[in-house]
Amino acid sequence: MASHMVATSPASQLETKIRERTAHVGVVGLGYVGLPLLRAFFQAGFPVVGYDVDPTKIDMLKRGESYLKHLGDDFVQDLAKSPKFLPTTNPADLAKADAIILCVPTPLGRHGEPDMSYIEKSTEMVAKVLRKGQLVSLESTTYPGTTRGDCLPILQKSGLEAGT
C-alpha cells in the first residue's frame, strides 16, 4: 500500500501549533494592554516575542523589572528568566511569530478623533516581516472597520492575501 502525504493549509498548520502551544506569539506594544496579554500567553505555555519601540521598557523587561508599577516586579520576573521570552526593539524578530497582536495606543486628537498613526505604523512594520501562515490581530481601541479598512490594505502590500 503506497503512503501519500496530505497537504495541509497554512491555517491548519497554525491551528495545530496553537493547539500544541508551540505557536510563537508576538505582541507589538508592551503597555497596559500588551504586556498583560503577552504574559497571559506566556503563562499558557506559548513562546512569546514582545516588541516595543521604547528601549528602556525592553531593558527593564530583560532585567525582570516592571515599568507598570501597579503590576509589580513579580509580574515580569518569570518572563525575564525564560528562554521562551524574547523582548525586543528589532522588528525583524517578529518574523519568528506565528501570530502577531497589535496593542498600540490610539490617543484622541483635539476634536475627539482617534490618532491612527500608531496603528498604521505598526501595521506597516508587520507587513515588512509578514509571511504566509501568520495571523495578525488588532487589539487597539479603535472604530469598527479599522482592521479591514485600514490594516488589511497595508498588509496586502506584502503580496500576501488574507485567507488564502
Side-chain angles (χ1 to χ4, degrees):
M1 187 182 287
S3 66
H4 62 289
M5 298 283 292
V6 176
T8 57
S9 71
S12 64
Q13 290 172 11
L14 177 60
E15 183 180 8
T16 298
K17 285 180 174 182
I18 292 169
R19 196 173 33 257
E20 295 172 353
R21 297 182 191 248
T22 59
H24 284 68
V25 178
V27 176
V28 175
L30 301 177
Y32 292 99
V33 174
L35 185 59
L37 181 63
L38 178 133
R39 183 172 174 257
F41 276 106
F42 175 80
Q43 289 182 321
F46 291 91
V48 293
V49 177
Y51 173 87
D52 203 281
V53 295
D54 184 350
T56 302
K57 286 181 181 178
I58 298 304
D59 290 342
M60 289 182 77
L61 290 173
K62 287 177 180 176
R63 293 191 306 266
E65 300 170 9
S66 179
Y67 45 86
L68 299 176
K69 296 304 175 197
H70 70 285
L71 298 176
D73 287 343
D74 290 351
F75 189 81
V76 296
Q77 286 175 350
D78 288 344
L79 287 168
K81 295 176 205 166
S82 176
K84 285 184 147 191
F85 173 53
L86 173 62
T88 186
T89 58
N90 183 356
D93 288 329
L94 291 169
K96 298 175 176 117
D98 298 297
I100 299 173
I101 305 167
L102 304 177
C103 299
V104 295
T106 48
L108 296 179
R110 282 192 334 205
H111 305 291
E113 77 285 359
D115 175 354
M116 299 299 290
S117 65
Y118 295 98
I119 291 175
E120 291 164 0
K121 284 182 176 82
S122 61
T123 304
E124 288 166 1
M125 179 187 69
V126 168
K128 291 177 184 168
V129 300
L130 195 64
R131 63 175 163 75
K132 189 175 186 175
Q134 275 180 319
L135 173 69
V136 180
S137 174
L138 177 63
E139 284 295 314
S140 299
T141 304
T142 185
Y143 53 85
T146 301
T147 303
R148 277 202 176 85
D150 296 273
C151 297
L152 186 59
I154 294 169
L155 293 172
Q156 288 184 329
K157 287 180 187 174
S158 69
L160 296 172
E161 187 176 332
T164 60

